[in-house]
Amino acid sequence: MIFSFRKFRKRMKFAVQLLVFTILIYYVLRAATSWIVPMERYKVPSGHFLKVFQQEALADQSQTLKERIAMFYWFGE
């Protein structure tokens, strides 16, 4: 069996480049996920914002399940 040092060197160069690129992508994606972390979802809104779901408002309404489903599909909410 003939051992080709050039082929071995090319393959090792490729393997090292792949490893470096994989590590680089890993750290870039890790930084991106820490940058895009969502805010606290259940925090009480402040300022001019409104909380959409209010339990008291549901108790006052006399909508049937059919009306609520129809409104859901009509408005897409």
Side-chain angles (χ1 to χ4, degrees):
M1 174 183 223
I2 299 174
F3 180 74
S4 175
F5 185 70
R6 287 182 182 157
K7 283 185 181 180
F8 177 74
R9 191 172 63 188
K10 280 184 179 181
R11 288 178 182 163
M12 287 306 294
K13 181 180 173 185
F14 176 76
V16 168
Q17 286 176 346
L18 181 65
L19 181 68
V20 168
F21 184 70
T22 303
I23 292 171
L24 178 71
I25 291 296
Y26 169 76
Y27 282 110
V28 166
L29 291 176
R30 193 168 142 190
T33 55
S34 67
W35 179 56
I36 301 178
V37 171
M39 295 172 41
E40 185 181 342
R41 296 179 67 181
Y42 303 108
K43 186 175 96 173
V44 176
S46 60
H48 299 290
F49 302 107
L50 298 175
K51 188 156 183 136
V52 176
F53 181 77
Q54 296 175 353
Q55 190 67 29
E56 300 84 27
L58 287 179
D60 297 338
Q61 296 177 352
S62 61
Q63 290 181 334
T64 64
L65 180 62
K66 182 180 175 184
E67 292 171 347
R68 288 176 58 196
I69 291 175
M71 186 171 59
F72 173 79
Y73 285 116
W74 183 261
F75 291 112
E77 297 178 1

